[in-house]
Amino acid sequence: MYPTAYQTIAAFAEAEFKDKGSRFIAYAYPVRTAGEVKTLVDEQRQAHHKARHWCYAYRLGTDGLQFRANDDGEPSGSAGRPILGQIDSFGLTDVLIIVVRYFGGTLLGVPGLIHAYKTAASDALKAAEIIEKNIGKTVFLNCAYPHLNDAVRIAKQHHAEIVEQDLQLDCRLTVCVPLAAYENCIAAWRQTRVIEIKENFPAEAEKEA
């Protein structure tokens, strides 16, 4: 059975952790693509050009299968993995955390680094608002203009989102239906006998509703 919802963060959040003079500034972002990740990491590298390291981790997708952990020159496994571990500990996806380190002159050792990156990432997520989003499936509706109200009414009853609409004599709607309400919503449209429905396969149409 497919999951019908996932958890992520609502907006940007940050936190800072200090140890033996080193500063670990954590930035948590809601993201949807690897392209967004690259842009945000590049922005932090420019904003903190005097820092020593810009370590990060992310997990993407409603199935959480797209992820990466980057140590950015820190000892292997001492930065990216602890950051990713906090994303997973909070049960989140579509999240990026960048931890910028300013070196304080004292080596922390691998255990100290793991603790610092883990704590900074955890504190940033504690500062963030965690929200639940529905996983949706996109369908395409076609109906004559007099039946548009029925199509929209059924969509609203099942908390479906009308993503695009082309309203002429023949109305075309692109609608994202929460998976939890999908079967009932489709059945209601079909019962009208005047609304044409085109369905995509789940793998092609998953998005947030």
Side-chain angles (χ1 to χ4, degrees), residues 3-11 29-32 59-64 86-96 125 128-135 208:
T4 58
Y6 65 98
Q7 287 189 316
T8 188
I9 60 175
Y29 301 90
V31 290
R32 297 296 302 275
R59 190 172 291 280
L60 301 176
T62 55
D63 55 11
Q86 289 309 296
I87 295 174
D88 294 344
S89 178
F90 280 75
L92 305 176
T93 190
D94 284 355
V95 171
L96 162 69
L125 291 178
E129 178 188 0
I130 295 176
I131 57 173
E132 184 172 272
K133 291 190 174 183
N134 291 322
I135 299 173
E208 74 178 57

Side-chain angles (χ1 to χ4, degrees), residues 114-154:
I114 291 174
H115 174 71
Y117 282 103
K118 174 182 176 181
T119 302
S122 176
D123 288 348
L125 291 178
K126 288 176 182 176
E129 178 188 0
I130 295 176
I131 57 173
E132 184 172 272
K133 291 190 174 183
N134 291 322
I135 299 173
K137 182 179 175 183
T138 300
V139 298
F140 303 93
L141 306 181
N142 192 11
C143 66
Y145 193 84
H147 305 298
L148 176 63
N149 285 342
D150 287 334
V152 173
R153 173 180 53 81
I154 292 170

Side-chain angles (χ1 to χ4, degrees), residues 144-190:
Y145 193 84
H147 305 298
L148 176 63
N149 285 342
D150 287 334
V152 173
R153 173 180 53 81
I154 292 170
K156 289 182 177 179
Q157 285 176 347
H158 295 87
H159 305 288
E161 176 191 0
I162 298 175
V163 180
E164 293 181 346
Q165 55 185 8
D166 181 10
L167 307 181
Q168 300 181 32
L169 290 178
D170 282 336
C171 300
R172 299 180 181 181
L173 304 178
T174 303
V175 186
C176 186
V177 185
L179 287 184
Y182 187 79
E183 292 184 6
N184 290 336
C185 190
I186 292 294
W189 279 323
R190 283 179 175 154

